[in-house]
């Protein structure tokens, strides 16, 4: 039975304050966070690695969205299909069951629910934050003409700017590091292989330079803190085949030199940067279906930390800073 969308949204909004996913897992060594609260059946279990500079801030799974309350360390289930964290960790974008996209301050959203959301005029689509956190981007495809339109919404002005990418491209439009230009993937030489070169696109739709690799660059979280390096995801869907080809692995592109400095073996998209030289991946499935996160040095390939997370799916996790986590919440860092 399918519930009416408005009924579903209203019911979810009414229960926002009480829908908290408690944390689970071992406490930090030497810490005394008190007893663990019970976990509701069917809810995800978030790991508590014990402390560090990064933490899981959002989870979107099975049309359910969870957001971390940095004051308490609790994850709240929100009345939206998805929640996407801005680079400043203080603002979020949300998508509701009707395809509307809105923005809200994080603290206000956790306090007031849907009443805190300012709805935008963005057409539906996967929401991508600009690297400077000032704009949102969605893509509208035209499958007949193989053209796409980049839809940019500026938070400060509320202005929607639409740019037609008037040449063949594949997949969604992503952000360039300057938060002004876009990045698209061109068709490759082999129509049977979903891989092609990356090209910049100016805000007026003018094609720009090539980037020096193939694949996709998505949003703010693809860029290292210095914005010198960027995560380039392969075009092939996930999970990967047992023995993926080199182009099917996420790569790290040096934007200054235009060269690929590393390929990172994983069956899933990279979760983002841990610092300026390390990324976070889902470990290859050596442990069956258990999710394990690994912090990997992109220059040496060394795994510097492992975070078991058996209570989470291996995708749609978003990382943020752990600098403002205190008390029980501090144990979420890694």
């Amino acid at each position: 039975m399918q519930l009416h969308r408005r009924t579903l949204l209203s019911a979810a909004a009414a229960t926002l304050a009480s829908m908290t996913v408690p944390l689970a897992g071992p406490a930090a060594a030497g810490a005394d966070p008190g007893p663990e609260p019970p976990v509701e059946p069917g809810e995800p279990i978030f790991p508590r690695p014990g402390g560090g500079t990064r933490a899981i801030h959002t989870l979107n799974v099975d049309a359910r969205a969870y957001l971390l309350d940095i004051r308490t360390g609790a994850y709240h289930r929100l009345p939206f299909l998805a929640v996407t964290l801005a680079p400043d960790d203080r603002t979020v974008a949300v998508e509701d069951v009707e395809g509307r996209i809105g923005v809200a301050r994080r603290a206000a959203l956790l306090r007031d629910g849907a009443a805190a959301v300012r709805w935008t005029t963005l057409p539906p689509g996967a929401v991508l934050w600009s690297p400077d956190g000032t704009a949102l981007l969605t893509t509208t495809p035209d499958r007949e003409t193989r053209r796409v339109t980049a839809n940019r919404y500026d938070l400060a002005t509320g202005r929607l700017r639409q740019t037609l990418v008037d040449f063949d491209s594949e997949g969604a439009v992503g952000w360039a590091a300057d938060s002004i230009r876009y990045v698209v993937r061109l068709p490759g030489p082999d129509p049977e292989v979903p891989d092609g070169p990356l090209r910049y696109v100016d805000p007026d739709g003018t094609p720009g330079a090539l980037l020096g690799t193939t694949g996709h660059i998505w949003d703010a979280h693809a860029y290292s803190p210095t914005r010198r390096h960027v995560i380039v995801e392969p075009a092939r869907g996930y999970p990967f085949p047992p023995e993926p080809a080199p182009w099917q692995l996420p790569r790290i592109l040096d934007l200054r030199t235009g060269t690929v400095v590393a390929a990172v073996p994983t069956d899933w998209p990279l979760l983002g940067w841990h610092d300026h030289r390390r990324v976070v991946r889902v470990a290859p499935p050596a442990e069956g279906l258990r999710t394990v996160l690994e912090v990997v040095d992109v220059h040496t390939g060394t795994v510097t930390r492992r975070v078991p997370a058996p209570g989470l799916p291996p995708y749609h996790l978003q990382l943020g800073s752990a600098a403002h986590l205190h008390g029980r919440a501090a144990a979420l860092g890694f």
Side-chain angles (χ1 to χ4, degrees):
M1 181 177 67
Q2 183 176 7
L3 296 176
H4 191 278
R5 284 180 172 181
R6 292 189 182 276
T7 302
L8 177 62
L9 186 60
S10 299
T15 57
L16 172 65
S18 62
M19 296 187 70
T20 302
V21 181
L23 304 175
D32 183 18
E36 293 293 339
V39 177
E40 293 293 330
E43 295 289 353
I45 302 173
F46 292 86
R48 301 181 65 226
T53 60
R54 304 292 281 172
I56 297 170
H57 281 239
T58 73
L59 168 65
N60 298 311
V61 59
D62 298 332
R64 293 175 293 163
Y66 300 85
L67 178 63
L68 171 64
D69 186 333
I70 62 174
R71 300 169 304 164
T72 66
Y75 289 86
H76 293 254
R77 182 174 172 182
L78 303 180
F80 305 106
L81 294 182
V83 57
T84 308
L85 189 67
D88 66 2
D89 292 345
R90 297 191 296 269
T91 309
V92 296
V94 298
E95 180 186 354
D96 73 2
V97 293
E98 296 179 346
R100 296 185 302 168
I101 296 168
V103 293
R105 299 296 286 178
R106 179 181 191 150
L109 184 66
L110 289 170
R111 182 183 65 245
D112 302 326
V117 176
R118 171 165 59 96
W119 297 104
T120 74
T121 55
L122 270 172
V127 179
L128 305 177
W129 279 99
S130 63
D132 65 4
T134 65
L136 298 172
L137 179 67
T138 65
T139 300
T140 303
D142 186 329
R143 302 192 184 281
E144 292 186 1
T145 65
R146 295 177 62 88
R147 303 298 189 259
V148 298
T149 298
N151 310 298
R152 174 191 175 120
Y153 179 85
D154 290 298
L155 272 64
T157 64
R159 176 188 175 191
L160 177 65
R161 180 189 306 168
Q162 295 182 296
T163 300
L164 175 65
V165 180
D166 196 19
F167 52 87
D168 283 357
S169 61
E170 303 282 350
V173 177
W175 284 106
D178 58 16
S179 299
I180 298 173
R181 296 172 296 169
Y182 307 120
V183 179
V184 299
R185 181 174 68 84
L186 305 178
D190 185 348
E192 299 299 319
V193 176
D195 190 43
L198 287 168
R199 181 182 293 281
Y200 286 118
V201 178
D202 290 338
D204 64 358
T206 302
L210 296 174
L211 275 75
T213 190
T214 63
H216 287 290
I217 294 174
W218 296 125
D219 63 356
H221 299 278
Y223 291 92
S224 67
T226 62
R227 297 189 194 170
R228 173 168 179 172
H229 296 97
V230 64
I231 296 169
V232 181
E233 289 288 346
R236 186 177 177 85
Y238 296 92
F240 289 126
E243 296 184 6
W247 64 268
Q248 292 174 313
L249 295 178
R251 281 145 288 153
I252 307 301
L253 177 68
D254 186 325
L255 291 170
R256 291 184 188 175
T257 65
T259 58
V260 173
V261 299
V264 184
T266 178
D267 282 7
W268 302 95
L270 295 181
L271 299 181
W273 292 86
H274 193 271
D275 51 35
H276 70 281
R277 64 177 293 135
R278 295 183 296 171
V279 295
V280 181
R281 72 176 179 187
V282 177
E287 302 179 34
L289 299 179
R290 289 169 52 89
T291 299
V292 178
L293 309 184
E294 291 182 337
V295 181
V296 182
D297 188 312
V298 300
H299 299 285
T300 67
T302 303
V303 175
T304 61
R305 187 160 187 180
R306 287 170 53 85
V307 179
L312 293 182
Y315 52 90
H316 300 315
L317 303 172
Q318 205 172 10
L319 306 179
S321 173
H324 301 292
L325 303 182
H326 303 289
R328 175 185 291 275
L332 299 174
F334 62 91

